[in-house]
Amino acid sequence: MSYENILVETRGRVGLITLNRPKALNALNDVLVDEVGAALDAFESNDDIGAIVITGSEKAFAAGADIGAMATFSYMDAYLSDYITRNWERVKTCRKPIIAAVAGYALGGGCEMAMACDIIIAADTAKFGQPEIKLGILPGAGGTQRLPRAVSKAKAMDMCLTARMMDAIEAERAGLVSRVVPADKLLDEALTAAETIAGFSLPVVMMIKESVNRAYESGLSEGLLFERRVFHSAFALEDQKEGMAAFVEKRAADFKHR
Ligand code: HXC
């Protein structure tokens, strides 16, 4: 399949999606977001892929939704087209883990897309923000919901209400990103992390993703119960037998279901 606004390639067992509208700092439009959805569909159904990385350019992961494309929208235009957000949950519903490798601006919908991924690895140049308020709108794809869960209510309010940006160090301190790396090492670091994940048992990887996500969707008792049920089911996997036998025999595990 050919894409207009993204580049899609595989690196070993990792699927790599590069947002590619450089002249508009990767501003997100329906076509781009639909293409990300189609690329995720293809990677999800490809048995040779165990993890996915989404990245942008040195200057911008994505500077938000395409402002020009929505500037004259009526309520009906936005509602009927479900602009940008219509394929948004595809990033969340992908069962294979997705790492956002963020350099430069991740603003508005760009920050929201990164937050919908499972791990954010940031270059030291990364800047996160929800500046929608300056445009007379509010975040529309998780900014007011995922950000407070990631960084606390106080910081989320600060970012959404003042439109100030958070640099990579602050974002790591606040818990929004998992690691900060030098910009020239960003892609290598993200691909290495993804390759590590892709080397483990895929059903276990998917169980972990599902269980961690439960922490956001349920209370603690229910989440712990979900985790325990899934944990017990892992003993039905050949890969559990292999992983534990390999430990006992002091050798590397050779998982069958990667
Ligand atoms: C359309 C955009 C854009 C955007 C940048 N560009 N952001 N086009 N939509 N969100 C375009 C500019 O118009 C310009 O095109 C080119 O990219 C380079 O941008 P500059 O502004 O010249 O670069 P710079 O001075 O370095 O400033 C970078 C910037 C600034 C700070 C990121 O571009 C900016 O503030 N962008 C808007 C950020 C924003 O408000 N994002 C939230 C959008 S609303 P030309 O043709 O002039 O060279 C949103 C809602 C999501 O995301 C709702 C749910 C999905």
Side-chain angles (χ1 to χ4, degrees), residues 53-231:
V53 172
I54 301 182
T55 195
S57 68
E58 261 174 49
K59 188 158 184 206
F61 177 76
D66 193 317
I67 299 167
M70 61 182 166
T72 59
F73 266 16
S74 66
Y75 168 79
M76 202 50 89
D77 295 329
Y79 182 77
L80 277 184
S81 69
D82 203 4
Y83 183 63
I84 297 270
T85 53
R86 69 179 179 214
N87 219 345
W88 207 262
E89 291 302 300
R90 189 66 194 94
V91 177
K92 178 190 150 190
T93 59
C94 182
R95 297 177 78 202
K96 294 176 180 174
I98 307 179
I99 297 176
V102 176
Y105 297 109
L107 302 179
C111 186
E112 289 168 319
M113 180 176 277
M115 289 193 291
C117 296
D118 302 303
I119 299 173
I120 302 178
I121 299 181
D124 48 13
T125 57
K127 288 191 178 66
F128 298 88
Q130 298 291 163
E132 288 90 339
I133 197 165
K134 293 204 289 191
L135 301 168
I137 56 169
L138 64 151
T144 67
Q145 300 303 306
R146 289 200 173 95
L147 196 56
R149 284 168 168 80
V151 305
S152 80
K153 174 184 162 187
K155 266 195 195 292
M157 285 284 191
D158 184 359
M159 288 173 70
C160 292
L161 290 173
T162 71
R164 86 171 171 87
M165 293 186 212
M166 210 188 254
D167 66 18
I169 299 298
E170 184 182 1
E172 187 186 26
R173 214 167 46 221
L176 180 62
V177 312
S178 67
R179 349 179 170 167
V180 178
V181 299
D184 60 351
K185 301 275 185 307
L186 175 68
L187 192 57
D188 282 351
E189 189 89 13
L191 290 170
T192 301
E195 195 62 59
T196 299
I197 294 167
F200 294 123
S201 169
L202 180 60
V204 175
V205 164
M206 289 178 2
M207 286 173 182
I208 291 173
K209 172 166 173 166
E210 208 180 357
S211 293
V212 173
N213 278 331
R214 269 292 160 124
Y216 286 95
E217 312 274 353
S218 65
L220 182 59
S221 302
E222 202 189 313
L224 288 169
L225 182 62
F226 181 86
E227 180 191 67
R228 191 150 331 131
R229 291 288 169 267
V230 179
F231 171 72

